[in-house]
Short mmCIF file of all heavy atoms in Angstrom, two decimals:
data_model
loop_
_atom_site.label_atom_id
_atom_site.label_comp_id
_atom_site.label_asym_id
_atom_site.label_seq_id
_atom_site.Cartn_x
_atom_site.Cartn_y
_atom_site.Cartn_z
N ARG A 513 -13.74 1.25 18.29
CA ARG A 513 -15.21 1.06 18.02
C ARG A 513 -15.94 1.26 19.31
O ARG A 513 -17.00 1.89 19.35
CB ARG A 513 -15.41 -0.30 17.43
CG ARG A 513 -16.81 -0.56 16.93
CD ARG A 513 -16.82 -1.75 16.01
NE ARG A 513 -16.17 -2.89 16.54
CZ ARG A 513 -15.10 -3.45 16.02
NH1 ARG A 513 -14.52 -2.96 14.98
NH2 ARG A 513 -14.52 -4.53 16.60
N GLN A 514 -15.42 0.70 20.40
CA GLN A 514 -16.07 0.82 21.67
C GLN A 514 -16.23 2.28 22.05
O GLN A 514 -17.21 2.70 22.57
CB GLN A 514 -15.17 0.09 22.71
CG GLN A 514 -15.49 0.41 24.15
CD GLN A 514 -14.41 -0.28 24.99
OE1 GLN A 514 -14.50 -1.44 25.36
NE2 GLN A 514 -13.35 0.43 25.27
N GLN A 515 -15.21 3.10 21.67
CA GLN A 515 -15.25 4.52 22.07
C GLN A 515 -16.13 5.28 21.08
O GLN A 515 -16.78 6.28 21.51
CB GLN A 515 -13.85 5.10 22.08
CG GLN A 515 -13.11 4.63 23.29
CD GLN A 515 -11.63 5.12 23.22
OE1 GLN A 515 -11.28 6.05 22.52
NE2 GLN A 515 -10.79 4.45 23.97
N THR A 516 -16.13 4.97 19.86
CA THR A 516 -16.82 5.81 18.89
C THR A 516 -18.25 5.41 18.62
O THR A 516 -19.07 6.21 18.32
CB THR A 516 -16.11 5.88 17.54
OG1 THR A 516 -15.89 4.52 17.12
CG2 THR A 516 -14.82 6.61 17.63
N THR A 517 -18.56 4.12 18.75
CA THR A 517 -19.95 3.80 18.43
C THR A 517 -20.78 3.23 19.60
O THR A 517 -21.85 3.73 19.86
CB THR A 517 -20.04 2.79 17.30
OG1 THR A 517 -19.36 1.61 17.69
CG2 THR A 517 -19.46 3.32 16.04
N GLU A 518 -20.20 2.30 20.33
CA GLU A 518 -21.07 1.59 21.30
C GLU A 518 -21.49 2.57 22.43
O GLU A 518 -22.62 2.63 22.81
CB GLU A 518 -20.42 0.39 21.80
CG GLU A 518 -20.63 -0.78 20.86
CD GLU A 518 -19.69 -1.88 21.05
OE1 GLU A 518 -19.21 -2.07 22.20
OE2 GLU A 518 -19.40 -2.63 20.09
N GLU A 519 -20.49 3.35 22.90
CA GLU A 519 -20.85 4.22 23.98
C GLU A 519 -21.65 5.40 23.49
O GLU A 519 -22.49 5.97 24.15
CB GLU A 519 -19.56 4.81 24.63
CG GLU A 519 -18.90 3.84 25.57
CD GLU A 519 -17.58 4.41 26.07
OE1 GLU A 519 -17.29 5.61 25.82
OE2 GLU A 519 -16.82 3.64 26.70
N ALA A 520 -21.25 5.81 22.27
CA ALA A 520 -21.73 7.07 21.79
C ALA A 520 -23.15 6.96 21.20
O ALA A 520 -23.53 5.98 20.59
CB ALA A 520 -20.80 7.60 20.68
N VAL A 521 -23.91 8.01 21.41
CA VAL A 521 -25.19 8.14 20.72
C VAL A 521 -24.99 9.19 19.64
O VAL A 521 -24.47 10.27 19.92
CB VAL A 521 -26.28 8.55 21.68
CG1 VAL A 521 -27.62 8.78 20.91
CG2 VAL A 521 -26.47 7.47 22.75
N GLY A 522 -25.36 8.91 18.45
CA GLY A 522 -25.14 9.88 17.40
C GLY A 522 -26.46 10.69 17.14
O GLY A 522 -27.33 10.79 17.97
N VAL A 523 -26.47 11.31 15.96
CA VAL A 523 -27.56 12.15 15.59
C VAL A 523 -28.61 11.29 14.88
O VAL A 523 -28.30 10.47 13.97
CB VAL A 523 -27.11 13.22 14.59
CG1 VAL A 523 -28.22 14.15 14.20
CG2 VAL A 523 -25.93 13.99 15.19
N ALA A 524 -29.89 11.39 15.31
CA ALA A 524 -30.96 10.76 14.55
C ALA A 524 -31.55 11.79 13.61
O ALA A 524 -32.27 12.72 14.03
CB ALA A 524 -32.04 10.22 15.49
N HIS A 525 -31.22 11.68 12.30
CA HIS A 525 -31.74 12.66 11.35
C HIS A 525 -33.24 12.34 11.12
O HIS A 525 -33.70 11.24 11.24
CB HIS A 525 -30.99 12.51 10.03
CG HIS A 525 -29.57 13.02 10.13
ND1 HIS A 525 -28.54 12.17 10.54
CD2 HIS A 525 -29.05 14.25 9.84
CE1 HIS A 525 -27.41 12.92 10.49
NE2 HIS A 525 -27.68 14.12 10.13
N GLY A 526 -33.96 13.41 10.72
CA GLY A 526 -35.37 13.27 10.44
C GLY A 526 -35.61 12.61 9.10
O GLY A 526 -34.71 12.41 8.31
N PRO A 527 -36.91 12.36 8.77
CA PRO A 527 -37.24 11.84 7.43
C PRO A 527 -36.93 12.91 6.37
O PRO A 527 -36.67 14.05 6.70
CB PRO A 527 -38.73 11.59 7.49
CG PRO A 527 -39.21 12.38 8.67
CD PRO A 527 -38.12 12.54 9.62
N ASP A 528 -36.87 12.49 5.11
CA ASP A 528 -36.58 13.43 4.03
C ASP A 528 -37.48 14.66 4.13
O ASP A 528 -38.65 14.64 4.33
CB ASP A 528 -36.84 12.78 2.66
CG ASP A 528 -35.79 11.68 2.41
OD1 ASP A 528 -34.86 11.57 3.20
OD2 ASP A 528 -35.91 10.98 1.39
N GLY A 529 -36.85 15.86 3.94
CA GLY A 529 -37.63 17.12 3.99
C GLY A 529 -37.68 17.79 2.66
O GLY A 529 -37.40 17.15 1.63
N GLU A 530 -37.95 19.08 2.67
CA GLU A 530 -38.14 19.87 1.51
C GLU A 530 -36.89 19.83 0.54
O GLU A 530 -37.02 19.64 -0.68
CB GLU A 530 -38.35 21.35 1.84
CG GLU A 530 -39.78 21.61 2.26
CD GLU A 530 -40.82 21.06 1.23
OE1 GLU A 530 -40.75 21.51 0.06
OE2 GLU A 530 -41.61 20.19 1.57
N ILE A 531 -35.75 20.01 1.14
CA ILE A 531 -34.52 20.13 0.31
C ILE A 531 -34.24 18.81 -0.42
O ILE A 531 -33.96 18.81 -1.64
CB ILE A 531 -33.35 20.58 1.18
CG1 ILE A 531 -33.59 22.01 1.63
CG2 ILE A 531 -32.03 20.48 0.46
CD1 ILE A 531 -32.76 22.48 2.83
N THR A 532 -34.36 17.72 0.31
CA THR A 532 -34.11 16.44 -0.28
C THR A 532 -35.13 16.24 -1.43
O THR A 532 -34.78 15.79 -2.55
CB THR A 532 -34.27 15.30 0.75
OG1 THR A 532 -33.47 15.70 1.88
CG2 THR A 532 -33.80 13.98 0.23
N LYS A 533 -36.39 16.54 -1.15
CA LYS A 533 -37.36 16.28 -2.18
C LYS A 533 -37.11 17.14 -3.43
O LYS A 533 -37.25 16.68 -4.59
CB LYS A 533 -38.75 16.58 -1.64
CG LYS A 533 -39.25 15.48 -0.71
CD LYS A 533 -40.64 15.73 -0.16
CE LYS A 533 -40.93 14.68 0.89
NZ LYS A 533 -41.76 15.28 2.02
N LYS A 534 -36.78 18.44 -3.22
CA LYS A 534 -36.51 19.30 -4.35
C LYS A 534 -35.26 18.86 -5.11
O LYS A 534 -35.24 18.95 -6.35
CB LYS A 534 -36.27 20.72 -3.86
CG LYS A 534 -37.54 21.46 -3.54
CD LYS A 534 -37.27 22.94 -3.27
CE LYS A 534 -38.46 23.58 -2.72
NZ LYS A 534 -38.07 24.71 -1.77
N PHE A 535 -34.31 18.28 -4.38
CA PHE A 535 -33.10 17.82 -5.05
C PHE A 535 -33.49 16.66 -5.98
O PHE A 535 -33.10 16.67 -7.16
CB PHE A 535 -32.07 17.36 -4.00
CG PHE A 535 -31.17 16.24 -4.52
CD1 PHE A 535 -30.27 16.44 -5.55
CD2 PHE A 535 -31.20 14.95 -3.95
CE1 PHE A 535 -29.38 15.45 -5.98
CE2 PHE A 535 -30.35 13.94 -4.36
CZ PHE A 535 -29.46 14.14 -5.40
N TYR A 536 -34.33 15.74 -5.53
CA TYR A 536 -34.74 14.66 -6.40
C TYR A 536 -35.51 15.14 -7.63
O TYR A 536 -35.30 14.72 -8.75
CB TYR A 536 -35.59 13.62 -5.67
CG TYR A 536 -34.79 12.78 -4.67
CD1 TYR A 536 -35.16 12.63 -3.35
CD2 TYR A 536 -33.66 12.13 -5.10
CE1 TYR A 536 -34.43 11.90 -2.46
CE2 TYR A 536 -32.89 11.34 -4.23
CZ TYR A 536 -33.29 11.24 -2.90
OH TYR A 536 -32.54 10.50 -2.05
N MET A 537 -36.36 16.12 -7.41
CA MET A 537 -37.16 16.60 -8.49
C MET A 537 -36.34 17.33 -9.53
O MET A 537 -36.66 17.32 -10.71
CB MET A 537 -38.28 17.53 -7.96
CG MET A 537 -39.49 16.69 -7.59
SD MET A 537 -40.69 17.38 -6.47
CE MET A 537 -40.57 19.14 -6.70
N GLY A 538 -35.25 18.01 -9.04
CA GLY A 538 -34.47 18.76 -10.02
C GLY A 538 -33.44 17.97 -10.83
O GLY A 538 -32.73 18.45 -11.66
#
Side-chain angles (χ1 to χ4, degrees):
R513 191 161 48 243
Q514 166 187 271
Q515 286 174 21
T516 51
T517 58
E518 278 162 27
E519 282 176 9
V521 176
V523 181
H525 292 86
D528 291 354
E530 279 311 298
I531 292 165
T532 309
K533 285 181 189 145
K534 281 189 192 147
F535 152 66
Y536 287 128
M537 272 160 29

